[in-house]
Amino acid sequence: MLLVDHVPLRLARVWLHREKVEHEAAAQFHRLGGEMRAAGLPRRIIDLADAAAADEAEHAILCRRVVDHLAPGLAPLVPDPVGPLGPVGLSAGRRALYASVALACVTETFSTALLLEMQRLATDPLVGATVHRILRDEINHSRLGWGHLAWAVEREDVSWLALFLVGMVHALIRSDLPPASYDDETAPADQPGEGQGVLSAARIRDVATRAFEDVIAPGLARYGIVARSGA
Amino acid sequence: MSLDKLFGVLVMGGALLAVGGCSDEDRDDGQGPLTGAPDAAPGSADATPSPGDGGELAPCFCNVDACCERDESGAGTLQPGFECCWSTTCP
């Protein structure tokens, strides 16, 4: 009985964390749009970054609705401050490209893959509608990074990004993936939650691995970016 | 859509952003469009989309520009005379 009572709160806390991550993503895409302007990117790509910032802010509102649906009254978490991504000393163009690859090619591609799985498993109508809406936007957010990369590779060698690929993935695993699952790794595998958009840790590992091996790694390799051992 | 299709949808779809549909000469350098026209280039955020002349479709960022209209169900529909460029879709 105690477990049943705690389940909605545990699920709501996952969505609560997603609400925070969405706010942070909005700030990151807003920053990316500014970096793209500084780097003189085509307006069509900048527009997509600006649109992504607005989308992410909307996603935070959608996540809040799910939080209130599952466990009303949980106070929002305070988003972490957003700073420039990547190592110091990058040119404006490389700074923007690093951020696009980290945010869009890596993070948004992982997110799209996870949302596809959440959509497949969702049974709660509000959760299903929310996941569907966010998924639609995340596809465009991911494309913006791949589009930026395709545009950049026509103008310069982008293989320098290979040095940072492992770090990008590790940062994602540390910051963004945990909120997608139960925070308690000891939770039983058949614990309810996937119908409410909260995947098991094992399923997340499986989907994330497939996303990296089938999409991100070959996508980056297409542009000469191959993860280097020990990077 | 399944995970198996993500490479095509994301990586290849994203690549179309760099090569397809609309002008590549719309750098946001503060000097306006490079075409010399007083108005923004078609497809840019500043452009007011309008149907093309002579049967041509006007390119449009369907996710940000005003070339889509909503029906009673809330679904977005592309207005006649426009085409969605760079893989964008009506929200």
Side-chain angles (χ1 to χ4, degrees), chain B residues 33-58:
Chain B
L34 300 181
T35 58
D39 297 320
S44 74
D46 294 338
T48 299
S50 59
D53 296 325
E56 293 181 1
L57 298 176

Side-chain angles (χ1 to χ4, degrees), chain B:
Chain B
M1 183 172 62
S2 69
L3 198 58
D4 298 336
K5 297 180 180 176
L6 273 190
F7 184 89
V9 171
L10 302 183
V11 180
M12 303 309 292
L16 291 176
L17 293 171
V19 300
C22 306
S23 169
D24 190 34
E25 301 301 326
D26 58 347
R27 292 168 68 90
D28 191 45
D29 55 6
Q31 299 176 17
L34 300 181
T35 58
D39 297 320
S44 74
D46 294 338
T48 299
S50 59
D53 296 325
E56 293 181 1
L57 298 176
C60 176
F61 277 110
C62 292
N63 57 336
V64 294
D65 285 336
C67 51
C68 301
E69 57 185 6
R70 292 184 182 279
D71 60 21
E72 292 178 351
S73 69
T77 304
L78 186 64
Q79 297 182 50
F82 294 98
E83 65 174 344
C84 295
C85 60
W86 298 305
S87 304
T88 58
T89 57
C90 286

Side-chain angles (χ1 to χ4, degrees), chain A residues 206-230:
Chain A
D206 176 60
V207 172
T209 299
R210 287 181 61 195
F212 184 80
E213 292 180 348
D214 296 348
V215 184
I216 296 172
L220 294 174
R222 188 169 186 267
Y223 299 108
I225 304 168
V226 179
R228 298 174 189 173
S229 177

